[in-house]
Structures are given as C-alpha cells and as structure tokens.
Amino acid sequence: MTEITGKKKLPPAVERFILNWGDMGDQWGVNRSVSQIHGLLYLAEKPMTAEDVADTLGMARSNVSNSLKELLAWDLIRRVPILGDRRDHFEAETDIWEVAQRIAAGRKEREIDPAIAALRACVAEATGDPAISAVAAKRLKDMLAFTELVDRWYAQMLKVPRPRLVALIRLGEKIANLLPSGRSRSGSD
C-alpha cells in the first residue's frame, strides 16, 4: 500500500479514503497511484498543481505527471487555468454519476468493444469449420449474444434521464415484479 507521508498532513478520513480508493482502483486494474491521485483531487476543495499532489501524497513527481496524463485521458480530471500562475492546475469531476458514466464509457471502449470484435471474429471463423465442435460453436455464439446484449443495455441506459435511472436502481429486484412472469430459463434470452 502506498503510504501517504507528504509534507501536508491530511485528516484521517481523507487519508483513509485516498488509500482505500487506491486499493479499489488496484483491484479494478487501475494503477494504485492513479487512483490515489484521483481520490485526492476528488476531495480537494480547490485545483492542485502536480507539485501539490506529489507533496501531499509523498509521490515522485514523474509518477504524478504520468498518473495525471492517464486521468486526463479517462476524462476524470481537467486542467484549470489560475490567473497569474503558469503552472497547470487540476481538478476532478465531482459529480459521482458523471464519474461513473465516464469510467463505464472508458471500460466499454477498452474492454467490451474489443471483446465483441474478437467474439464476432471467432464466431465467423468457427462457422462452417468442421474441426469446431457443435458445443464450442454454440458456446461462442452464446458468449457473443450475451456480450452484445450487455452492450445494447449499456447504450439504452445512457439515454435514460438521471432521475429515472436513480429510480430504476432504487427499485432493485422489485423491478422483476413488473415483468410478466414466465418460465425460468437458463442461458440467453
């Protein structure tokens, strides 16, 4: 775990959040430093320079610089001009719904879209190949159908206005009661 030993002493709750945000990011495949910097900027009251971030978190300036570039690429932070200061200042998007949407969009672009392309190629290659068993061919098609279904659901959820999306999420499993009852099936629908 990256220890926060910078010049600035952070309140315990802020330090705990930054460390836990870093751990959570690490579990999701995001560099721990990137996640910790995002956590710091998310809680920061005003924009921070890279030097401020490095000093506060006790990180190397080069690590901070690379991490900021990654956060900019994910569109989770932005540069903010400060009158009279030539240095770059950074602030995080603080609307948590917007943060979640940007992370989901980035993951879709980096993970789901390539997976769909690869699965489509596999299904196309398997079609008519006598060396592919019927079981393997069906499972490839099922995996593709599932991944495309999730992709379509994601695209539909982007169109749902936030208040309705919040209501939908709050309904949780109750939403199933609104659906017509039918025979339970395993597999794809």
Side-chain angles (χ1 to χ4, degrees), residues 1 10 25 28 41 43-44 65 80 85 87 95 99 129 151-152 171 179:
M1 184 181 300
L10 296 169
W28 290 345
L41 292 173
L43 294 183
S65 180
V80 179
D85 193 340
R87 298 175 298 171
D95 179 335
V99 170
D129 184 345
D151 187 54
R152 283 191 304 276
L171 278 172
L179 300 174

Side-chain angles (χ1 to χ4, degrees), residues 69-81:
K69 286 177 188 171
E70 187 168 339
L71 288 166
L72 286 165
W74 278 87
D75 198 25
L76 294 174
I77 66 169
R78 60 188 153 270
R79 284 186 178 87
V80 179

Side-chain angles (χ1 to χ4, degrees), residues 57-68:
L57 297 180
M59 291 181 181
R61 177 66 172 80
S62 60
N63 186 13
V64 170
S65 180
N66 289 330
S67 297
L68 290 170

Side-chain angles (χ1 to χ4, degrees), residues 29-51:
V30 177
N31 179 288
R32 185 184 314 261
S33 297
V34 171
S35 298
Q36 287 180 349
I37 291 168
H38 180 254
L40 173 65
L41 292 173
Y42 178 76
L43 294 183
E45 293 179 24
K46 60 183 182 171
M48 299 177 73
T49 65
E51 294 81 13

